[in-house]
Each structure stands twice: as C-alpha cells, then as structure tokens.
Amino acid sequence: MDFLKKTSRDKAAGAGKSGIGEMIASRETGVVHLTHNDLDAVGADAIHRMKFGKIVSVFCSVGSFPSILGQISGIHGNGDLLSISDLGFQQQAVAPLKNLKTNGWRIEWRDHHRWKDEELRIAGEIVDLLSVDVTTCGCGLCARDLMPGDPQAAEVARVVCDYDLWKHEDPRSAVLGIVLQKRKNRDYVRDAMVKGVLSDETIEREYREISDEMEAMMEKSERRAVVMGSRYRIVLAPLYGYPSETAARLRKDLSSDMEVLISPGGRFSLRSVPPISHLIAREFNGGGHPNAAGGSFDFSLWEKFLFWLRGKNSKFDRFVKIAESIE
C-alpha cells in the first residue's frame, strides 16, 4: 500500500477545520490529541499512540489553536481525554477550555514554551493536568509523563528534541525535520516512530527529493532579503518554504542576529541570536521560544500586493523598532 494513503482506521487529522468537529463527534476512541504541526508535534503524537493505541490526532497551527478548541468544545466529552501538547497559552483559548470542562472533557496540557505566572494560574484552574517545562521539547515532555522509563519513547524524544531545541547533534533529526516540511509525510513518519524507526529508505528518499527543492527556495529568499537595524542586524525576507533551514542559511551567509521569514499573507517565522524572539512575537499576536517564534504582520490586501511586488513593507520599521527596544 502506498505509504501516503490514509486508511479508514487512522483518523489522524490533516482534515480541514470544517471536518474536525465531525471527526471528533464520531470518534471511536477515548483520547483526542490536539497538537502543533511540526516534527515536535509528530513525535508527541507518536508518544501518545505508544501509550494509548488508537487515538484521534488533530494537528494545527498556533493561530488556529483557539478556533479548533472552540469546535471541540461544542462536542460532548463523556469523560474522554483531550490531551494538548506543544501549544502555548493564548487568552482566546480560555473560554473554549471552560466550555470543554462543562461538556465533560478531561483536559491534560503539556507544553514547553514560556508561560507567564498568570497564564499558568489561569490554565491550571481549568485543566486537570498542566505540565510546562522549557528545558525539553514537547515530545520529550510527553515521553517523560506518558511513557516514563520506556527506552523506545526516550530515543524518539531525544532525536526530536535534538532538532526542536536546535542542538543538531544527531543527523537523523535534521533529515526528519526536512521530511516533515511536507504534510504528506506526517503519518508515515509518525507511524514509523511508534515502531521506534527514525530512519529508513522511504524517509531518506523523501529527504533527497525535498533537499533539491529546498535549496532553490532558500536561494530565492536570500536574493530578496532586506537587511535593517542598528543594534541588531535584522534580515527580513519572503518565505517560500522551509523556515528553519532558510533562517540558518541567511544567518550563515549574511551574518545576521535575527531572521524574519514572511509568508504572502503576513505570517512570519522568527529566529534570533538574542533570546527575545518570543517577546517580539507577542507584539504581533504570536509567541514561541526565546530563539524561535512566530507572529503576523496582518497585511491588508494592498500591503500583500506591495510585499509580493517589492519584498518590502512599511510594517518592517515597527518590527525593527520593537526588536531593538527590548532589553
């Protein structure tokens, strides 16, 4: 069977938002896992499947997290578990969380982003379990809590954290990170991880094919890059794909302190040498880690056109001002 083909048994959600409610309402399992959409999230989902077997998996972006919570909150939980991982606190998520509890869900939330004390208090008063630890990745946190002492889960977590925490000590992590830039590979990699497989012929073949495409996209981003700032050397460039790899390429070639990769709609992925990415992103309706985060410029239609045409935008000045004002 083609490894990219979904089976009727596996309800892992690449489904669009409109299908998530229906998928969860018709669930045949007592565990729903709501997580991010990168390698860390895929690893966390593998850990959940090691622990619980058949589950419903929902992968989402940071921006869609509150709205997806809202869809789930309208469905009766009947005592089932909603496990949230690798997604940080958002104020817009508070009301859906309360509705989920009212509708009979048990909620466990594991995350490794930075939370404020007040955010920990608010969420802790609603959910049944809250575990936040910035020293590991989301997959590592899930492995520690759900599969303590299991060597297979620990190895998966070690390789995933190697990529997510930018250690880059295990070459398998970089390969997996690039392969999972393609959503079509998500289920295959996740199911391989459940079996303890972190590299095989299929994964290596996908990596080689994607690497060629990635090289062309990174070169295109670099050609249109703009360098700004005085306190920091800040590179802003259009994103054509592969944000982490493109940021690393720009930093190496342009000796930058900060890389901002911007999608056509204004969403951006941010990497920084100074540990302030998460603080900057919060000023742009986003969040993340001290050295890697994301947010949005909220481009108007006209601004989208100008950015497509010129690769520049007046909101870049505000970004630089905020970035260079943070101590």
PDB file of all heavy atoms in Angstrom, residues 108-123:
ATOM      1  N   GLU A 108      -5.682  17.467  29.650  1.00  0.00           N
ATOM      2  CA  GLU A 108      -4.285  17.482  30.061  1.00  0.00           C
ATOM      3  C   GLU A 108      -3.508  18.332  29.059  1.00  0.00           C
ATOM      4  O   GLU A 108      -3.691  18.184  27.850  1.00  0.00           O
ATOM      5  CB  GLU A 108      -3.706  16.057  30.119  1.00  0.00           C
ATOM      6  CG  GLU A 108      -4.382  15.181  31.162  1.00  0.00           C
ATOM      7  CD  GLU A 108      -3.791  13.778  31.234  1.00  0.00           C
ATOM      8  OE1 GLU A 108      -2.877  13.474  30.415  1.00  0.00           O
ATOM      9  OE2 GLU A 108      -4.230  12.983  32.088  1.00  0.00           O
ATOM     10  N   TRP A 109      -2.651  19.206  29.557  1.00  0.00           N
ATOM     11  CA  TRP A 109      -1.943  20.162  28.696  1.00  0.00           C
ATOM     12  C   TRP A 109      -0.452  20.107  29.016  1.00  0.00           C
ATOM     13  O   TRP A 109      -0.040  20.391  30.149  1.00  0.00           O
ATOM     14  CB  TRP A 109      -2.488  21.570  28.938  1.00  0.00           C
ATOM     15  CG  TRP A 109      -2.139  22.585  27.893  1.00  0.00           C
ATOM     16  CD1 TRP A 109      -1.169  22.502  26.933  1.00  0.00           C
ATOM     17  CD2 TRP A 109      -2.756  23.867  27.707  1.00  0.00           C
ATOM     18  NE1 TRP A 109      -1.147  23.637  26.155  1.00  0.00           N
ATOM     19  CE2 TRP A 109      -2.109  24.480  26.602  1.00  0.00           C
ATOM     20  CE3 TRP A 109      -3.776  24.538  28.360  1.00  0.00           C
ATOM     21  CZ2 TRP A 109      -2.456  25.758  26.165  1.00  0.00           C
ATOM     22  CZ3 TRP A 109      -4.133  25.804  27.919  1.00  0.00           C
ATOM     23  CH2 TRP A 109      -3.479  26.407  26.825  1.00  0.00           C
ATOM     24  N   ARG A 110       0.334  19.726  28.020  1.00  0.00           N
ATOM     25  CA  ARG A 110       1.795  19.652  28.172  1.00  0.00           C
ATOM     26  C   ARG A 110       2.446  20.566  27.133  1.00  0.00           C
ATOM     27  O   ARG A 110       2.207  20.427  25.947  1.00  0.00           O
ATOM     28  CB  ARG A 110       2.281  18.209  27.991  1.00  0.00           C
ATOM     29  CG  ARG A 110       1.721  17.252  29.043  1.00  0.00           C
ATOM     30  CD  ARG A 110       2.103  15.806  28.771  1.00  0.00           C
ATOM     31  NE  ARG A 110       1.622  14.929  29.820  1.00  0.00           N
ATOM     32  CZ  ARG A 110       0.397  14.374  29.827  1.00  0.00           C
ATOM     33  NH1 ARG A 110      -0.437  14.597  28.813  1.00  0.00           N
ATOM     34  NH2 ARG A 110       0.027  13.604  30.828  1.00  0.00           N
ATOM     35  N   ASP A 111       3.294  21.466  27.608  1.00  0.00           N
ATOM     36  CA  ASP A 111       3.897  22.423  26.683  1.00  0.00           C
ATOM     37  C   ASP A 111       5.298  22.793  27.155  1.00  0.00           C
ATOM     38  O   ASP A 111       5.620  22.686  28.342  1.00  0.00           O
ATOM     39  CB  ASP A 111       3.025  23.678  26.589  1.00  0.00           C
ATOM     40  CG  ASP A 111       3.558  24.664  25.558  1.00  0.00           C
ATOM     41  OD1 ASP A 111       3.881  24.224  24.436  1.00  0.00           O
ATOM     42  OD2 ASP A 111       3.659  25.861  25.880  1.00  0.00           O
ATOM     43  N   HIS A 112       6.132  23.262  26.219  1.00  0.00           N
ATOM     44  CA  HIS A 112       7.495  23.637  26.577  1.00  0.00           C
ATOM     45  C   HIS A 112       7.817  25.071  26.183  1.00  0.00           C
ATOM     46  O   HIS A 112       8.988  25.458  26.162  1.00  0.00           O
ATOM     47  CB  HIS A 112       8.492  22.663  25.936  1.00  0.00           C
ATOM     48  CG  HIS A 112       8.607  22.789  24.452  1.00  0.00           C
ATOM     49  ND1 HIS A 112       9.811  22.984  23.799  1.00  0.00           N
ATOM     50  CD2 HIS A 112       7.668  22.758  23.473  1.00  0.00           C
ATOM     51  CE1 HIS A 112       9.613  23.041  22.503  1.00  0.00           C
ATOM     52  NE2 HIS A 112       8.317  22.911  22.270  1.00  0.00           N
ATOM     53  N   HIS A 113       6.820  25.866  25.858  1.00  0.00           N
ATOM     54  CA  HIS A 113       7.045  27.283  25.592  1.00  0.00           C
ATOM     55  C   HIS A 113       7.049  28.051  26.914  1.00  0.00           C
ATOM     56  O   HIS A 113       6.734  27.488  27.969  1.00  0.00           O
ATOM     57  CB  HIS A 113       5.950  27.818  24.664  1.00  0.00           C
ATOM     58  CG  HIS A 113       5.950  27.153  23.323  1.00  0.00           C
ATOM     59  ND1 HIS A 113       5.203  26.023  23.058  1.00  0.00           N
ATOM     60  CD2 HIS A 113       6.602  27.437  22.183  1.00  0.00           C
ATOM     61  CE1 HIS A 113       5.398  25.649  21.804  1.00  0.00           C
ATOM     62  NE2 HIS A 113       6.254  26.480  21.251  1.00  0.00           N
ATOM     63  N   ARG A 114       7.394  29.304  26.865  1.00  0.00           N
ATOM     64  CA  ARG A 114       7.475  30.111  28.086  1.00  0.00           C
ATOM     65  C   ARG A 114       6.100  30.702  28.419  1.00  0.00           C
ATOM     66  O   ARG A 114       5.487  31.346  27.581  1.00  0.00           O
ATOM     67  CB  ARG A 114       8.516  31.216  27.939  1.00  0.00           C
ATOM     68  CG  ARG A 114       9.931  30.660  27.857  1.00  0.00           C
ATOM     69  CD  ARG A 114      10.989  31.733  27.783  1.00  0.00           C
ATOM     70  NE  ARG A 114      12.309  31.144  27.686  1.00  0.00           N
ATOM     71  CZ  ARG A 114      13.075  30.822  28.725  1.00  0.00           C
ATOM     72  NH1 ARG A 114      12.643  31.070  29.946  1.00  0.00           N
ATOM     73  NH2 ARG A 114      14.266  30.277  28.548  1.00  0.00           N
ATOM     74  N   TRP A 115       5.657  30.465  29.636  1.00  0.00           N
ATOM     75  CA  TRP A 115       4.373  30.974  30.134  1.00  0.00           C
ATOM     76  C   TRP A 115       4.624  31.992  31.239  1.00  0.00           C
ATOM     77  O   TRP A 115       5.575  31.874  32.010  1.00  0.00           O
ATOM     78  CB  TRP A 115       3.536  29.843  30.714  1.00  0.00           C
ATOM     79  CG  TRP A 115       3.038  28.813  29.752  1.00  0.00           C
ATOM     80  CD1 TRP A 115       3.727  28.203  28.739  1.00  0.00           C
ATOM     81  CD2 TRP A 115       1.731  28.243  29.741  1.00  0.00           C
ATOM     82  NE1 TRP A 115       2.933  27.293  28.093  1.00  0.00           N
ATOM     83  CE2 TRP A 115       1.700  27.278  28.691  1.00  0.00           C
ATOM     84  CE3 TRP A 115       0.588  28.423  30.502  1.00  0.00           C
ATOM     85  CZ2 TRP A 115       0.568  26.531  28.398  1.00  0.00           C
ATOM     86  CZ3 TRP A 115      -0.545  27.675  30.227  1.00  0.00           C
ATOM     87  CH2 TRP A 115      -0.553  26.741  29.177  1.00  0.00           C
ATOM     88  N   LYS A 116       3.738  32.969  31.325  1.00  0.00           N
ATOM     89  CA  LYS A 116       3.763  33.892  32.451  1.00  0.00           C
ATOM     90  C   LYS A 116       3.084  33.226  33.648  1.00  0.00           C
ATOM     91  O   LYS A 116       2.259  32.316  33.498  1.00  0.00           O
ATOM     92  CB  LYS A 116       3.015  35.183  32.085  1.00  0.00           C
ATOM     93  CG  LYS A 116       3.634  35.957  30.931  1.00  0.00           C
ATOM     94  CD  LYS A 116       2.802  37.188  30.601  1.00  0.00           C
ATOM     95  CE  LYS A 116       3.385  37.973  29.436  1.00  0.00           C
ATOM     96  NZ  LYS A 116       2.540  39.128  29.066  1.00  0.00           N
ATOM     97  N   ASP A 117       3.407  33.687  34.845  1.00  0.00           N
ATOM     98  CA  ASP A 117       2.812  33.109  36.056  1.00  0.00           C
ATOM     99  C   ASP A 117       1.295  33.197  36.030  1.00  0.00           C
ATOM    100  O   ASP A 117       0.600  32.255  36.434  1.00  0.00           O
ATOM    101  CB  ASP A 117       3.348  33.829  37.300  1.00  0.00           C
ATOM    102  CG  ASP A 117       4.814  33.514  37.570  1.00  0.00           C
ATOM    103  OD1 ASP A 117       5.314  32.505  37.026  1.00  0.00           O
ATOM    104  OD2 ASP A 117       5.460  34.284  38.310  1.00  0.00           O
ATOM    105  N   GLU A 118       0.774  34.310  35.536  1.00  0.00           N
ATOM    106  CA  GLU A 118      -0.676  34.483  35.484  1.00  0.00           C
ATOM    107  C   GLU A 118      -1.311  33.501  34.509  1.00  0.00           C
ATOM    108  O   GLU A 118      -2.412  32.980  34.755  1.00  0.00           O
ATOM    109  CB  GLU A 118      -1.015  35.926  35.083  1.00  0.00           C
ATOM    110  CG  GLU A 118      -2.508  36.229  34.971  1.00  0.00           C
ATOM    111  CD  GLU A 118      -3.236  36.155  36.312  1.00  0.00           C
ATOM    112  OE1 GLU A 118      -2.569  35.992  37.356  1.00  0.00           O
ATOM    113  OE2 GLU A 118      -4.474  36.262  36.306  1.00  0.00           O
ATOM    114  N   GLU A 119      -0.622  33.211  33.418  1.00  0.00           N
ATOM    115  CA  GLU A 119      -1.138  32.240  32.445  1.00  0.00           C
ATOM    116  C   GLU A 119      -1.160  30.840  33.043  1.00  0.00           C
ATOM    117  O   GLU A 119      -2.120  30.078  32.835  1.00  0.00           O
ATOM    118  CB  GLU A 119      -0.281  32.281  31.182  1.00  0.00           C
ATOM    119  CG  GLU A 119      -0.367  33.606  30.438  1.00  0.00           C
ATOM    120  CD  GLU A 119       0.675  33.752  29.340  1.00  0.00           C
ATOM    121  OE1 GLU A 119       1.634  32.963  29.303  1.00  0.00           O
ATOM    122  OE2 GLU A 119       0.528  34.683  28.513  1.00  0.00           O
ATOM    123  N   LEU A 120      -0.130  30.495  33.794  1.00  0.00           N
ATOM    124  CA  LEU A 120      -0.100  29.198  34.474  1.00  0.00           C
ATOM    125  C   LEU A 120      -1.256  29.086  35.460  1.00  0.00           C
ATOM    126  O   LEU A 120      -1.886  28.030  35.572  1.00  0.00           O
ATOM    127  CB  LEU A 120       1.231  29.025  35.210  1.00  0.00           C
ATOM    128  CG  LEU A 120       2.479  28.825  34.339  1.00  0.00           C
ATOM    129  CD1 LEU A 120       3.740  28.967  35.179  1.00  0.00           C
ATOM    130  CD2 LEU A 120       2.453  27.469  33.660  1.00  0.00           C
ATOM    131  N   ARG A 121      -1.529  30.174  36.164  1.00  0.00           N
ATOM    132  CA  ARG A 121      -2.624  30.162  37.139  1.00  0.00           C
ATOM    133  C   ARG A 121      -3.973  29.980  36.453  1.00  0.00           C
ATOM    134  O   ARG A 121      -4.798  29.138  36.872  1.00  0.00           O
ATOM    135  CB  ARG A 121      -2.629  31.455  37.954  1.00  0.00           C
ATOM    136  CG  ARG A 121      -3.693  31.476  39.058  1.00  0.00           C
ATOM    137  CD  ARG A 121      -3.848  32.862  39.642  1.00  0.00           C
ATOM    138  NE  ARG A 121      -4.393  33.806  38.677  1.00  0.00           N
ATOM    139  CZ  ARG A 121      -5.694  33.866  38.336  1.00  0.00           C
ATOM    140  NH1 ARG A 121      -6.574  33.015  38.845  1.00  0.00           N
ATOM    141  NH2 ARG A 121      -6.097  34.770  37.460  1.00  0.00           N
ATOM    142  N   ILE A 122      -4.205  30.737  35.388  1.00  0.00           N
ATOM    143  CA  ILE A 122      -5.496  30.681  34.695  1.00  0.00           C
ATOM    144  C   ILE A 122      -5.762  29.289  34.139  1.00  0.00           C
ATOM    145  O   ILE A 122      -6.817  28.693  34.370  1.00  0.00           O
ATOM    146  CB  ILE A 122      -5.539  31.724  33.563  1.00  0.00           C
ATOM    147  CG1 ILE A 122      -5.542  33.141  34.142  1.00  0.00           C
ATOM    148  CG2 ILE A 122      -6.778  31.518  32.679  1.00  0.00           C
ATOM    149  CD1 ILE A 122      -5.371  34.232  33.095  1.00  0.00           C
ATOM    150  N   ALA A 123      -4.799  28.754  33.398  1.00  0.00           N
ATOM    151  CA  ALA A 123      -4.981  27.432  32.793  1.00  0.00           C
ATOM    152  C   ALA A 123      -5.041  26.343  33.858  1.00  0.00           C
ATOM    153  O   ALA A 123      -5.821  25.391  33.754  1.00  0.00           O
ATOM    154  CB  ALA A 123      -3.864  27.144  31.800  1.00  0.00           C
TER     155      ALA A 123
END
